[in-house]
Amino acid sequence: MVLLGTLVNALLIIIGAIAGRLLKGIPENMKQTVIGAIGIVVTVLGIQMGLESSNFVLIIICIVFGAVIGEWIDIDKWLNKLGQLLEKKFGSKASQGGSIAQGFVTSTLIFVIGAMGVLGALNSGLQNDHELLISKGIIDGFTSIILSATLGIGVLLSAIPVAIYQGVIALFATQITKIIPEAALELFLQEMTATGGIMIIAIGLNLLGLTNIRVANLLPSLVVVGIAVAIIYIF
């Protein structure tokens, strides 16, 4: 089953988010300490990912152009509006202990950004090998426990975009590899990981309360990376 890894990943996020809500009664000081710890870990993870790049000038250019496009579209605003609509739908009880919009946006960015989901989805689609996505699901599941306990039930809803984007890649994996040469795909994954790492750092700094960067507005940078890699490969 091509979508098995994707479905397991999404299910583990949901289970983790529900488990996290059972821990919502933990003291506020403990919540702050935990979210601070997550912020530090996420920042370190982002630094590790960012160092994957072999061309930091390319990353800078892609981030800048992506930020301009993202601010023009204002992806952050639309994601937050979606979260706020869900918050109104589920009512104030669902959002106790955290904003649905904040939990949804933050967890979606953490779970979606990164090469692990792309590589795992490609493996699922091409070889029916779901090990990488299931491993990612276990990591996401434990992360969602903590995020849900501190940011609220909105974390559960991040399973939807994760399932959609990984599912689409898995379903069209054969076509993707036919269109994109292996060398170009490897270069893209490398630079995408580094670009995603920059965004992960921004998420970590936001969680630590040091910055208020609209990370969702940086997402077009991943598309810009794909275009840039295509140009480099062709020429």
Side-chain angles (χ1 to χ4, degrees):
M1 181 182 177
V2 172
L3 295 177
L4 178 62
T6 295
L7 294 175
V8 169
N9 192 169
L11 181 61
L12 289 173
I13 291 173
I14 293 170
I15 293 172
I18 294 172
R21 292 310 291 153
L22 297 176
L23 301 174
K24 65 180 180 180
I26 61 177
E28 192 61 35
N29 286 344
M30 188 180 294
K31 282 186 179 181
Q32 291 176 0
T33 301
V34 169
I35 202 69
I38 292 174
I40 293 170
V41 172
V42 168
T43 302
V44 172
L45 174 63
I47 293 171
Q48 183 183 35
M49 290 170 63
L51 294 175
E52 290 289 322
S53 177
S54 59
N55 190 338
F56 283 102
V57 174
L58 175 67
I59 299 302
I60 293 170
I61 293 171
C62 291
I63 286 285
V64 170
F65 274 97
V68 170
I69 296 169
E71 283 294 329
W72 178 56
I73 301 172
D74 206 349
I75 299 170
D76 183 80
K77 180 183 76 174
W78 292 109
L79 275 177
N80 275 289
K81 277 190 173 182
L82 176 59
Q84 288 161 8
L85 284 173
L86 292 169
E87 196 158 340
K88 287 179 182 178
K89 184 180 178 70
F90 290 108
S92 58
K93 287 185 179 179
S95 60
Q96 285 177 355
S99 161
I100 286 182
Q102 182 189 14
F104 170 68
V105 173
T106 301
S107 56
T108 295
L109 292 171
I110 290 175
F111 297 150
V112 167
I113 294 172
M116 200 171 183
V118 177
L119 284 172
L122 286 172
N123 284 348
S124 289
L126 293 173
Q127 303 171 17
N128 207 29
D129 178 2
H130 309 292
E131 183 177 353
L132 193 55
L133 280 188
I134 292 174
S135 298
K136 177 180 179 291
I138 294 170
I139 296 169
D140 291 350
F142 280 111
T143 305
S144 68
I145 292 174
I146 306 300
L147 290 175
S148 182
T150 52
L151 299 180
I153 198 62
V155 174
L156 183 149
L157 300 171
S158 64
I160 299 172
V162 168
I164 292 173
Y165 108 94
Q166 289 180 180
V168 168
I169 294 174
L171 289 172
F172 292 95
T174 305
Q175 286 71 23
I176 291 172
T177 53
K178 283 181 180 177
I179 296 171
I180 305 175
E182 184 178 349
L185 186 59
E186 287 180 2
L187 179 61
F188 168 69
L189 290 172
Q190 177 182 324
E191 301 305 329
M192 186 200 74
T193 298
T195 305
I198 303 299
M199 298 182 207
I200 293 291
I201 292 172
I203 292 171
L205 295 176
N206 284 351
L207 288 172
L208 290 169
L210 299 176
T211 58
N212 189 27
I213 300 169
R214 292 183 290 275
V215 182
N217 287 348
L218 298 178
L219 286 174
S221 302
L222 299 176
V223 178
V224 177
V225 167
I227 295 171
V229 167
I231 293 171
I232 290 171
Y233 185 79
I234 292 171
F235 295 101

